[in-house]
Amino acid sequence: MDKNSNHNSQPANHYHIPTSVIKTRRYEGCWELEIRQQENQGKQDQLIPLGELQLADLPPGLHGYAFIVGALFQSDNKPQEDGTQLYTGDGMVYRLGFADGKATLKTRIAKTPCYYADPATQFYLGDYAIEPIPFSPFKNKILSYFVKKHKLFSYFSAFRNGGPSRYSIFLGSRNQLNTAFLNTRDHLLLTMDAGRAYQLDPDSMELLEPVGSTQEWCSIFPIVSRLTSINIFDTYISSAHYVTDISSLNGQQDELFTTNYSTGYNGEFKEIVNGVLDSDCFRKVIQLFYNLLAIKFNPKQELGRFTHLIRYRFADEQKGLQPTMERWRLVLPNNEPVLVNQSLHQLAITEKYIILADIAFKMEFSQIFTPFLFGFLRLWKFNRTYSLGSFIYAIFLRAIKPLPFANLYIVDRQDLDRGNIGYSIEDSSDQQTTIKVKQVRLPREISHFTADYSHPEKNKITLHVGHVNGWDVTEWITHYDKSVPGKPFRQDLEGMMVSSTDLGSLGKYVIDGETGKIESSKTVQDIQSTWALSLYTHREIKRDSLTETAQEVKNIYWLSLGFTWELIPQRIYDAYKSDPRRVVPVEQLPDENKPITLLRLDTQQMKIEDYYQFPSGTYVSSTQFIPSSLPCPENIDESIHGFIICAVMLDPDPSQPNRPTDEFWIFHADDLNNKPIYRLSASLKDEPLNLAMTIHSTWLPDIRQQQYSENERCQRREKSVKEDYQHLIANKCKAVQELFDDIVFPHFTKQTLEKDFEEFLLPKD
């Protein structure tokens, strides 16, 4: 990037993160958005008010539907619980439609079965919300009819936030579906790391059914679930980024690939605890214990850490084929099991290989259970309780840095069908199928990555990587954080993820898929634009769509979240200040903020060719490439012929401080810096937009490719939810039976809207 660029960084005292990033609205509805065109001539130090822009039509060639998902962190009529991370919350799906020069928006909350069990057991409803924390006084409350009937059960069964998780001691964990999407040939999937993906009907935006049944997934602690039988909503860890290869199906069943794994226990003394859980001796003891309790022991049952590759094939009603779910245990060349240290958040797929990445996205037990157990301390506003809370958090929420490298595991796709048929955990035979993988170690942490589809050189894999340094996205601002002396820390943004403390880089690696050797690598750093590299987008290639022919990613668009002291508490600064791998010495960190930047990387030249720096007072997420429907000009490569859409969060207009004003921005993908920007917003006569902290996105040219009637959708949901949970609640207490029979089953089947569901829960007397 040119040092003489006319995009100037902003002085720290003028730059701020908008407070709207930690505020959301749970409104489910539809809008016709207003479109305003903003001329873009490079320099834009301050946000231009919408009132100064003229109404316009959408640019020619913009079409289809963009889907964006985010976590409903803190809304205006629900309490913020202690220890809640920004990405903890029910998934809100936003669908932007583009047709006839107009833009429409539809929103729906992703309502899994556990969604309906959650408010039913809470000691709050609507505007009279209080924090559902142990020992809280519960004043001015409106109880649901179910809580009034089963107070003791509801008190101990209520879901509570803990870091990146929402958990109930008796019922299990929430599957909030707030992270990402996958488009397969015939289906749209909504996903998250700690739960099963669900099919999403793109037209009605209702959930349909999960990928695999509860009996086909291994939970994070299988032995605990099996012996205690208390977690009906078990925790299933998978990758948030499932993959598919549409171009290889050739008329066969639609399919996808993901993982099912457990990192085991990752708290204090984890080496000792995991060593015991993984041992053959422990397995024999458990088998003996099962025999004494007359419980059938499945030899395939996992007891400790495990890593499985999953292939799920969808039902094909025309051919009379049922869905199938196969799994393979992954092992290294020396037959040692693949053990995940952090998170298999993302997969990539090429013509010959599937790549799994153990990336810097670590979920720690202390993050989950410290706020869950000690969050009640903040209810009493005394110095002593604050000091006690600060002491507890200082011990249990110390920053644990990600690993300083990234492990990749390469699976040869031919091994999946080379007489190596995957097994099902429902099969009680001793046979387990293993696949050997190649391990590759990259020298830096990864945020996200993608891969070219083809292999121009035999067996060579080309990866495109965003490297982060001095940053952990699973750390957030807590109630007890302190500022770095002399720096403008924002305590009011409690729950917001912290900022990066060092410069990142963009990487390109060529790896031999047969040996695991890194053949070549090249990285790009820029002091203005490669801080906190988070999300990327690019035009779909051959594996993603039957209409695309490109086999490599020529241009990729990355979002850099910039640098700001407003999001760096003292404990994070202390954790990274002496890191020997620092790129920018801590004493040379900028005093001024580095703005959020949307950039385009030419992967052939490994050069940042285009960029746009957002003005102060904005926060940006969820970048999505949309191909143009117009013919591609000869002087433009198809990989940049289209548009980039982003979710942009803003602080309200001072004249209307209680009316949120978040927007969607649209850029011309071939010129981020000069062509007009289109800003989409709600009109004053409509409900205001207060977006969730959105994460990933996808795009569909049409939402009516595979339509189901309302009756068909209900039948599919009723069948799947009862198959999943009826056997789990068969011997449970009356309160559990009533919770599922009267609330979970019927309302999940109908996909009752939140407003209607809360009215249903109100006391009947």
Side-chain angles (χ1 to χ4, degrees):
M1 189 179 293
D2 192 328
K3 293 182 180 179
N4 297 318
S5 163
N6 57 2
H7 284 271
N8 297 324
S9 299
Q10 301 304 309
N13 60 344
H14 292 302
Y15 187 89
H16 70 282
I17 300 294
T19 307
S20 62
V21 298
I22 62 166
K23 300 290 184 180
T24 62
R25 295 190 74 235
R26 303 178 68 91
Y27 177 74
E28 297 178 281
C30 299
W31 292 259
E32 181 175 323
L33 299 178
E34 291 186 343
I35 307 160
R36 285 179 167 82
Q37 181 174 319
Q38 174 179 302
E39 294 306 315
N40 178 14
Q41 297 177 352
K43 185 176 181 179
Q44 187 189 333
D45 294 339
Q46 298 297 324
L47 182 70
I48 300 175
L50 278 179
E52 298 180 12
L53 302 176
Q54 295 296 317
L55 292 173
D57 289 332
L58 290 174
L62 181 60
H63 67 119
Y65 298 84
F67 288 80
I68 299 172
V69 66
L72 290 168
F73 168 68
Q74 179 188 352
S75 61
D76 50 12
N77 69 337
K78 292 290 188 298
Q80 178 183 356
E81 300 177 28
D82 190 53
T84 301
Q85 188 186 29
L86 193 69
Y87 292 127
T88 302
D90 292 312
M92 174 66 92
V93 181
Y94 302 89
R95 189 189 72 198
L96 279 165
F98 307 110
D100 302 322
K102 297 180 180 180
T104 57
L105 175 68
K106 181 177 180 179
T107 61
R108 286 292 183 272
I109 296 172
K111 304 180 189 70
T112 52
C114 57
Y115 164 87
Y116 291 102
D118 193 337
T121 55
Q122 294 297 342
F123 278 75
Y124 64 80
L125 274 179
D127 294 330
Y128 295 86
I130 53 84
E131 299 190 28
I133 296 175
F135 315 118
S136 62
F138 297 122
K139 294 180 180 179
N140 302 320
K141 59 187 177 293
I142 292 181
L143 305 183
S144 75
Y145 85 87
F146 183 85
V147 172
K148 291 186 72 174
K149 188 175 182 181
H150 303 286
K151 285 186 179 180
L152 185 62
F153 169 82
S154 297
Y155 182 78
F156 288 102
S157 298
F159 291 86
R160 300 184 176 95
N161 290 339
S165 174
R166 184 164 175 81
Y167 192 79
S168 161
I169 295 174
F170 288 160
L171 295 177
S173 64
R174 285 292 317 277
N175 181 5
Q176 297 181 309
L177 290 180
N178 58 21
T179 308
F181 299 94
L182 175 71
N183 294 333
T184 68
R185 184 189 63 197
D186 305 322
H187 303 86
L188 175 63
L189 281 296
L190 185 57
T191 71
M192 71 175 296
D193 293 270
R196 296 177 295 163
Y198 271 71
Q199 293 180 42
L200 178 70
D201 178 56
D203 189 11
S204 67
M205 294 176 65
E206 298 172 354
L207 298 185
L208 294 176
E209 59 188 11
V211 170
S213 70
T214 54
Q215 298 181 73
E216 293 178 292
W217 284 82
C218 293
S219 68
I220 189 171
F221 283 122
I223 184 174
V224 174
S225 302
R226 181 67 171 166
L227 291 180
T228 62
S229 298
I230 59 173
N231 287 343
I232 300 170
F233 299 117
D234 226 333
T235 307
Y236 308 112
I237 304 298
S238 68
S239 303
H241 296 275
Y242 293 27
V243 293
T244 188
D245 180 4
I246 293 175
S247 65
S248 69
L249 293 177
N250 297 321
Q252 298 177 353
Q253 277 178 278
D254 194 12
E255 68 180 18
L256 59 79
F257 297 92
T258 186
T259 59
N260 183 199
Y261 67 97
S262 172
T263 58
Y265 172 74
N266 61 7
E268 199 72 26
F269 310 114
K270 65 179 181 180
E271 291 83 5
I272 297 174
V273 174
N274 285 326
V276 171
L277 294 175
D278 295 339
S279 67
D280 290 335
C281 180
F282 182 70
R283 175 171 285 274
K284 291 177 181 178
V285 170
I286 293 300
Q287 187 169 2
L288 177 62
F289 189 60
Y290 270 44
N291 292 336
L292 291 175
L293 295 177
I295 300 175
K296 185 178 180 181
F297 182 79
N298 187 337
K300 294 179 182 177
Q301 181 172 322
E302 301 290 356
L303 302 179
R305 294 173 291 179
F306 62 91
T307 307
H308 296 168
L309 178 68
I310 301 294
R311 176 167 64 191
Y312 182 81
R313 285 179 167 153
F314 295 88
D316 189 328
E317 297 175 1
Q318 292 183 344
K319 297 180 180 179
L321 299 174
Q322 296 299 311
T324 60
M325 185 163 164
E326 302 167 276
R327 64 177 61 232
W328 292 266
R329 184 192 299 270
L330 301 183
V331 299
L332 299 171
N334 62 2
N335 287 319
E336 289 294 314
V338 170
L339 299 177
V340 178
N341 290 302
Q342 299 180 122
S343 168
L344 294 179
H345 174 69
Q346 187 178 8
L347 280 65
I349 191 167
T350 74
E351 193 173 15
K352 294 185 64 176
Y353 302 102
I354 298 173
I355 303 100
L356 297 74
D358 190 352
I359 69 173
F361 192 84
K362 200 168 189 175
M363 289 180 282
E364 300 146 21
F365 283 96
S366 59
Q367 290 178 324
I368 297 173
F369 291 108
T370 299
F372 189 90
L373 296 175
F374 301 109
F376 67 89
L377 289 172
R378 69 180 291 173
L379 289 174
W380 288 275
K381 310 300 182 183
F382 303 116
N383 289 336
R384 289 183 180 179
T385 57
Y386 181 88
S387 299
L388 177 59
S390 181
F391 173 74
I392 292 172
Y393 273 61
I395 293 175
F396 292 102
L397 286 184
R398 289 175 293 181
I400 301 176
K401 296 189 293 186
L403 296 177
F405 53 82
N407 284 327
L408 307 180
Y409 301 99
I410 301 173
V411 177
D412 189 331
R413 293 177 62 181
Q414 289 185 347
D415 288 343
L416 305 182
D417 298 305
R418 194 181 285 153
N420 224 356
I421 300 175
Y423 69 94
S424 166
I425 59 173
E426 294 179 286
D427 181 3
S428 61
S429 68
D430 291 336
Q431 179 65 35
Q432 286 187 336
T433 304
T434 61
I435 287 183
K436 289 186 177 182
V437 302
K438 301 293 187 301
Q439 183 176 6
V440 183
R441 178 164 293 182
L442 301 187
R444 291 281 188 182
E445 304 100 308
I446 289 178
S447 61
H448 286 96
F449 76 107
T450 189
D452 289 350
Y453 180 68
S454 62
H455 307 276
E457 296 182 57
K458 186 178 180 181
N459 303 324
K460 299 298 189 292
I461 302 169
T462 302
L463 297 181
H464 308 283
V465 174
H467 285 301
V468 293
N469 199 34
W471 190 33
D472 184 352
V473 296
T474 67
E475 292 285 354
W476 68 97
I477 294 173
T478 75
H479 181 62
Y480 303 99
D481 273 326
K482 302 291 193 299
S483 65
V484 177
K487 303 300 182 183
F489 177 61
R490 293 279 300 280
Q491 181 66 59
D492 63 307
L493 296 181
E494 180 184 350
M496 180 67 177
M497 66 180 175
V498 300
S499 178
S500 175
T501 65
D502 203 358
L503 189 66
S505 59
L506 299 168
K508 178 179 179 180
Y509 294 85
V510 177
I511 299 169
D512 190 314
E514 297 303 308
T515 66
K517 179 183 177 182
I518 298 176
E519 299 285 344
S520 65
S521 65
K522 188 172 183 179
T523 58
V524 174
Q525 287 181 333
D526 182 85
I527 195 64
Q528 294 296 328
S529 62
T530 58
W531 300 85
L533 294 160
S534 57
L535 306 174
Y536 72 85
T537 187
H538 60 77
R539 183 169 183 142
E540 292 181 335
I541 59 177
K542 185 177 179 180
R543 63 169 169 246
D544 307 312
S545 171
L546 293 175
T547 62
E548 297 288 351
T549 58
Q551 302 199 50
E552 57 186 355
V553 180
K554 292 182 179 180
N555 285 275
I556 186 168
Y557 298 81
W558 283 94
L559 184 67
S560 160
L561 295 180
F563 172 86
T564 177
W565 287 103
E566 294 182 3
L567 300 177
I568 302 179
Q570 180 74 56
R571 64 185 176 87
I572 297 298
Y573 175 82
D574 290 341
Y576 291 101
K577 65 182 180 181
S578 301
D579 194 315
R581 302 173 305 111
R582 291 196 66 88
V583 175
V584 178
V586 69
E587 61 274 8
Q588 295 179 23
L589 284 173
D591 291 325
E592 62 183 19
N593 296 283
K594 298 298 182 183
I596 295 174
T597 302
L598 174 64
L599 64 89
R600 172 169 66 87
L601 179 73
D602 181 332
T603 65
Q604 312 295 302
Q605 305 298 322
M606 282 304 288
K607 181 180 178 182
I608 297 174
E609 291 287 2
D610 197 6
Y611 66 94
Y612 175 84
Q613 292 180 337
F614 287 84
S616 60
T618 61
Y619 193 85
V620 187
S621 61
S622 304
T623 55
Q624 177 61 44
F625 186 96
I626 299 176
S628 174
S629 62
L630 301 178
C632 184
E634 293 183 359
N635 62 335
I636 294 179
D637 191 272
E638 276 201 342
S639 63
I640 62 172
H641 182 49
F643 306 90
I644 304 293
I645 187 168
C646 310
V648 181
M649 280 147 273
L650 314 165
D651 270 330
D653 188 312
S655 64
Q656 293 182 297
N658 296 321
R659 181 179 175 84
T661 56
D662 294 341
E663 302 173 11
F664 297 98
W665 289 19
I666 299 169
F667 295 83
H668 289 269
D670 63 325
D671 194 342
L672 304 175
N673 205 34
N674 294 296
K675 289 188 176 181
I677 300 170
Y678 297 85
R679 293 170 56 180
L680 313 183
S681 61
S683 69
L684 291 177
K685 63 181 178 60
D686 292 327
E687 291 286 335
L689 287 186
N690 195 178
L691 301 176
M693 175 53 74
T694 62
I695 313 176
H696 294 289
S697 56
T698 192
W699 176 82
L700 289 176
D702 184 21
I703 58 172
R704 295 178 176 85
Q705 294 174 329
Q706 187 174 14
Q707 285 188 290
Y708 299 99
S709 68
E710 181 178 355
N711 187 53
E712 289 173 326
R713 296 196 302 270
C714 288
Q715 288 179 350
R716 293 182 66 178
R717 283 190 291 266
E718 183 177 25
K719 180 175 183 291
S720 70
V721 72
K722 290 186 175 180
E723 286 179 351
D724 273 343
Y725 297 109
Q726 274 189 329
H727 69 284
L728 295 174
I729 67 171
N731 299 315
K732 297 295 187 295
C733 66
K734 181 180 178 181
V736 171
Q737 301 273 357
E738 186 177 323
L739 176 65
F740 277 78
D741 290 339
D742 296 349
I743 297 176
V744 174
F745 289 158
H747 287 282
F748 172 74
T749 298
K750 292 186 292 186
Q751 287 286 280
T752 307
L753 295 178
E754 182 165 282
K755 181 181 178 181
D756 298 333
F757 184 57
E758 288 190 342
E759 290 180 1
F760 164 80
L761 289 176
L762 289 173
K764 305 301 187 289
D765 48 42

